[in-house]
Amino acid sequence: MYDARLSELTRAIRTVAVTGTNGKTTTTSMLAAVARAAGEPWARVTTLGMWAGGERVAEDGSMASFVRCVERAVESGARTLALETTSRSLAAGFARRWPPDVAVFTNLSRDHLDRHGTVEAYLAAKAQLFLALPAGGTAVLNADDPASALLAEVLPRGVVSRGWSVGESRPQHVATPVTLRASGVVASRRGTRVELAGSALAERLGGALHLRVAGRVHAHNALAAAVAADALGYDPDAIRAALESFEAVPGRFEVVAHEPLVVVDFAHTPDALAQTLRAARELVAPDGGRVVCVFGCGGDRDRGKRPEMGTIADAEADLVVLTNDNPRTESPEAIADMVAEGARGQAGWTRELDRRAAIRLAIQEANRVDAVVIAGRGHEAVQIVGTERRPFSDADVARQALAAIT
């Protein structure tokens, strides 16, 4: 029922769409920030909500809300829609109904196998975004991820391919020109400096980016956004200003406190958890700090990743506080048992299935130089237990715990 209206609207605004396992929301938000820095009304659609002309339009992901958001964006004079696209929407054919002008691939790791069945099917869903690119469109690919090579092979005729990399050696995974590469990343609790290897875009950006957000993971997001924004023709001064003033998206390596470092992150996949814990380790290593990880796994979702995430937490953290996530209709104890199967005895483990008590325990255990990573739920404001949705914010609970010990 919306196809005719969607066809009209696609001609009224250009779209930069972002897909991948991790980093979609942050990269999309960075792209909207570039439009804002360029002095334009901005429009953004993510899993956190929909905004047009700087105003929130909706929180749900319905097609009716999407159409209303785009209409509002066009009315406000926005030129660019920054759009997060999930594997679920792509598998349902969304990209055919709303083809992008620029498509960004962040990475691929295990996720949503309960829905797609195999990693190959999961990637095939992501690939729909790139198959929908028109001649003259641009694919922005993560040259550090092997899956990019497969995406590069299926690009339609006439699509331009650009790569980006945070690897310090020459990327090997995709036969795509690397438009922007980090030659070095230095992360601290107060921000992240990204040195750029010589290239035309690196020169236009001044040779380095001084990000306000902490954590190496943000270097990946920033370079992806920079290459995509450049493909859209945005001025490098606007790109640099937007990225250097960008503040973290709620629940995406969100720094709640600095001493101890307390981070809330949505990491709910094996790769995301590993990257988040390594980023935290890098931030506390100069002071000899420990990494304390609070996490669990969601119920009624991919069970195979549970012991894998247990192994990762065991290897990357010094202390693991195993707790409840969103158990839904599964037994919290049974979920925790599956996660604990992955432990190899490298870290200390404590089980506390009351998530509020687990967060409080981790923060009380941490010293000033330590890092506490609260992973799995990120921005979520409710915890799903059975069929009940209970108000619960990891960041708010962490702040309460911090206030109680100061």
Side-chain angles (χ1 to χ4, degrees):
M1 63 180 289
Y2 293 107
D3 286 354
R5 185 56 177 149
L6 289 173
S7 180
E8 293 175 6
L9 289 170
T10 57
R11 296 190 293 271
I13 194 169
R14 59 188 184 175
T15 298
V16 52
V18 183
T19 196
T21 305
N22 305 317
K24 297 185 297 296
T25 303
T26 298
T27 303
T28 301
S29 300
M30 285 179 167
L31 284 160
V34 172
R36 183 167 60 244
E40 301 175 7
W42 54 278
R44 170 169 60 113
V45 172
T46 75
T47 52
L48 301 184
M50 304 181 185
W51 291 262
E55 296 182 0
R56 193 181 193 103
V57 176
E59 294 185 16
D60 65 68
S62 69
M63 183 59 74
S65 294
F66 177 74
V67 170
R68 187 167 69 254
C69 178
V70 177
E71 288 175 337
R72 187 83 57 84
V74 171
E75 291 169 0
S76 73
R79 291 198 307 143
T80 304
L81 169 66
L83 173 65
E84 175 181 351
T85 50
T86 65
S87 61
R88 182 175 184 175
S89 68
L90 292 172
F94 177 78
R96 292 193 300 273
R97 305 175 74 186
W98 190 270
D101 299 283
V102 175
V104 181
F105 172 67
T106 60
N107 57 13
L108 186 84
S109 63
R110 178 172 184 151
D111 198 12
H112 301 305
L113 296 195
D114 53 307
R115 179 177 299 126
H116 298 288
T118 65
V119 173
E120 291 77 14
Y122 179 43
L123 177 59
K126 300 291 189 187
Q128 299 308 304
L129 183 66
F130 299 87
L131 290 168
L133 282 164
T138 302
V140 177
L141 304 175
N142 178 357
D144 297 329
D145 193 299
S148 290
L150 300 174
L151 294 177
E153 290 180 359
V154 302
L155 294 177
R157 186 185 301 273
V159 171
V160 177
S161 181
R162 296 185 175 194
W164 57 275
S165 169
V166 178
E168 296 188 2
S169 60
R170 182 176 177 80
Q172 300 296 323
H173 298 312
V174 56
T176 294
V178 177
T179 303
L180 199 60
R181 180 171 69 86
S183 58
V185 179
V186 179
S188 73
R189 299 187 186 210
R190 302 291 177 177
T192 307
R193 177 180 174 87
V194 185
E195 298 287 346
L196 302 174
S199 72
L201 179 55
E203 184 176 343
R204 294 198 298 275
L205 291 173
L209 294 171
H210 304 267
L211 307 179
R212 180 178 297 179
V213 285
R216 178 176 291 266
V217 64
H218 289 301
H220 293 265
N221 302 328
L223 266 60
V227 174
D230 183 64
L232 289 165
Y234 281 104
D235 185 86
D237 289 340
I239 297 173
R240 185 176 61 252
L243 296 179
E244 294 191 338
S245 62
F246 184 82
E247 297 184 354
V249 174
R252 270 58 174 185
F253 211 86
E254 178 184 0
V255 176
V256 175
H258 290 94
E259 293 183 350
L261 180 68
V262 179
V263 173
V264 171
D265 195 83
F266 192 47
H268 61 286
T269 67
D271 180 67
L273 183 62
Q275 295 301 324
T276 296
L277 292 175
R278 289 168 189 164
R281 174 77 66 189
E282 185 176 13
L283 297 182
V284 300
D287 300 318
R290 301 172 302 157
V291 174
V292 181
C293 176
V294 181
F295 91 109
C297 285
D300 301 334
R301 298 294 187 269
D302 180 9
R303 297 186 178 194
K305 72 180 182 181
R306 294 171 187 174
E308 187 177 345
M309 293 182 69
T311 300
I312 287 169
D314 191 59
E316 301 292 345
D318 298 292
L319 173 63
V320 179
V321 182
L322 179 58
T323 191
N324 225 346
D325 190 276
N326 293 313
R328 300 182 177 87
T329 63
E330 283 195 70
S331 160
E333 291 79 6
I335 296 172
D337 287 344
M338 293 183 71
V339 174
E341 288 175 7
R344 299 292 182 264
Q346 295 176 256
W349 283 70
T350 296
R351 183 182 297 206
E352 173 52 77
L353 294 183
D354 181 324
R355 192 172 180 94
R356 183 180 300 275
I359 292 171
R360 184 167 57 244
L361 173 65
I363 289 174
Q364 290 173 343
E365 173 69 21
N367 296 316
R368 182 182 61 82
V369 296
D370 293 341
V372 176
V373 174
I374 306 167
R377 300 182 64 256
H379 63 283
E380 294 176 356
V382 296
Q383 186 178 35
I384 306 172
V385 180
T387 58
E388 183 182 356
R389 299 170 64 87
R390 303 173 180 174
F392 195 102
S393 161
D394 283 357
D396 287 348
V397 171
R399 292 186 184 99
Q400 292 164 10
L402 287 160
I405 63 175
T406 56

